[in-house]
Amino acid sequence: MRERSLSSEGQLGAAIAHRKRHRHARSHSPADDRTFSRDDRRPDKRKHRVDTGQDRLSPSRSEAQEPHGRHKPRERAREDRLPEDEPSGTFGMSDEVDTDRPSKDKEKPNFELSGKLVEDTNTFRGIVIKYNEPAEARKPKVKWRLYPFKGDKVLPLLQIHRQSAYLLGRDRLIADIPIDHPSCSKQHAVIQFRLVNYKRDDGRAGRRVRPYIIDLESANGTFVNNKKIEQRVYVELLEKDMIKFGFSSREYIVLTESSKDDFSEDDGEDN
């Protein structure tokens, strides 16, 4: 018998049930789980590391500090200096200028962004975004949703199927989904829909659009099912997963519009 899709009330009940299951299974809070990364719960669940392209340069010390107690060298005697009426570069030289000799002006340092950095820089409303969507980014066909909870209070659901990526963070000027807790970063994480390869039940290769979450090097981490995920690594989100950010008490349950055990695959085409 074909299973019918759940109504909105049924979906809310399912979200509450899954949240209770996660809370019951939790043996420690996210604040106690800050040092390890999320391990795969299913064999087909994979992580994808992102190459940020941003090398971190440690500041170099331009001048060594003067050792304590060491005297500076005395200046040369005034009579040893060059005459003030003659510039140091032409002292002892004739006044004739060799016009045939090409000028050898020292090239000044150029601190402008190079081609690759300019290409990778993404700004919105004058703010540099720490994330760029990958080539496999796609808008999903399946209607994915987030059901937020704050304690025992149910908050309005969030539709996350209307675009290919959602930026979550404390900066409301650029965040698609604001998270206002002070422990959260201005650009905390991104939910990204990606067109990925998979193997169908009959053995044939296929492609589908699935949601992933990536932590943008946040200060206090992103948690999936109470486990802290690695930074700058795509982690696939499955139906009924629970997401938390920093030390915020808000919990987000991932569901689809149908929310049944065997929801339809979101097959995609590489246009």
Side-chain angles (χ1 to χ4, degrees):
M1 182 176 178
R2 189 173 182 179
E3 184 178 357
R4 298 177 56 187
S5 299
L6 298 177
S7 63
S8 57
E9 293 182 358
Q11 277 223 318
L12 179 58
I16 294 174
H18 295 312
R19 175 174 174 266
K20 288 182 178 179
R21 178 173 59 85
H22 285 296
R23 290 172 67 89
H24 179 71
R26 180 172 57 193
S27 59
H28 47 76
S29 64
D32 300 326
D33 191 11
R34 305 176 193 173
T35 58
F36 60 88
S37 304
R38 180 193 185 191
D39 53 352
D40 295 337
R41 295 178 296 108
R42 295 174 174 80
D44 60 341
K45 200 159 189 180
R46 292 180 289 178
K47 303 174 183 177
H48 303 270
R49 185 170 299 278
V50 178
D51 183 7
T52 60
Q54 299 176 354
D55 294 331
R56 301 189 175 277
L57 302 178
S58 59
S60 59
R61 185 175 299 178
S62 59
E63 296 182 358
Q65 296 181 354
E66 195 72 15
H68 180 69
R70 181 177 295 179
H71 300 286
K72 295 182 178 179
R74 292 186 303 173
E75 297 181 355
R76 291 186 300 172
R78 185 176 182 84
E79 57 271 19
D80 294 339
R81 297 180 184 175
L82 297 177
E84 296 182 358
D85 57 345
E86 293 187 31
S88 60
T90 59
F91 179 64
M93 299 175 60
S94 63
D95 295 337
E96 297 181 0
V97 179
D98 188 359
T99 57
D100 295 334
R101 180 180 299 175
S103 61
K104 296 183 179 180
D105 295 337
K106 185 177 180 180
E107 184 179 356
K108 296 181 179 180
N110 183 8
F111 296 105
E112 298 292 333
L113 293 176
S114 62
K116 184 61 178 175
L117 290 177
V118 172
E119 178 183 342
D120 290 343
T121 300
N122 181 19
T123 59
F124 180 69
R125 295 181 178 177
I127 301 175
V128 177
I129 308 299
K130 297 167 60 177
Y131 177 78
N132 288 284
E133 291 197 66
E136 69 272 14
R138 295 292 187 278
K139 181 179 176 182
K141 297 177 183 177
V142 173
K143 295 183 178 180
W144 291 87
R145 298 173 174 179
L146 290 180
Y147 282 84
F149 295 86
K150 185 177 182 180
D152 294 331
K153 183 180 179 181
V154 181
L155 304 178
L157 70 89
L158 303 171
Q159 303 282 359
I160 56 171
H161 66 277
R162 294 168 180 164
Q163 57 195 54
S164 57
Y166 291 83
L167 175 63
L168 300 97
R170 214 175 66 246
D171 193 341
R172 285 181 168 267
L173 288 177
I174 56 176
D176 299 301
I177 302 177
I179 45 179
D180 297 326
H181 197 271
S183 68
C184 298
S185 301
K186 292 182 178 180
Q187 300 180 46
H188 195 102
V190 168
I191 294 177
Q192 176 70 64
F193 288 93
R194 305 169 63 209
L195 181 65
V196 294
N197 298 323
Y198 79 107
K199 184 176 290 187
R200 295 187 174 94
D201 295 335
D202 57 5
R204 294 183 300 131
R207 311 185 82 183
R208 61 187 178 187
V209 179
R210 300 304 299 268
Y212 288 78
I213 191 166
I214 181 172
D215 183 272
L216 301 181
E217 299 176 331
S218 64
N220 295 305
T222 301
F223 300 82
V224 177
N225 299 332
N226 300 314
K227 293 184 179 180
K228 187 176 181 180
I229 66 174
E230 296 181 35
Q231 296 180 344
R232 290 286 178 182
V233 174
Y234 283 119
V235 175
E236 184 178 0
L237 291 174
L238 301 181
E239 194 178 9
K240 306 173 186 177
D241 278 349
M242 183 179 72
I243 311 172
K244 295 191 69 175
F245 303 98
F247 305 136
S248 172
S249 62
R250 295 197 181 194
E251 300 168 338
Y252 300 82
I253 302 298
V254 181
L255 293 176
T256 65
E257 184 183 39
S258 58
S259 287
K260 52 189 177 182
D261 294 335
D262 237 353
F263 67 91
S264 59
E265 293 290 357
D266 194 350
D267 293 331
E269 296 180 357
D270 194 4
N271 295 327

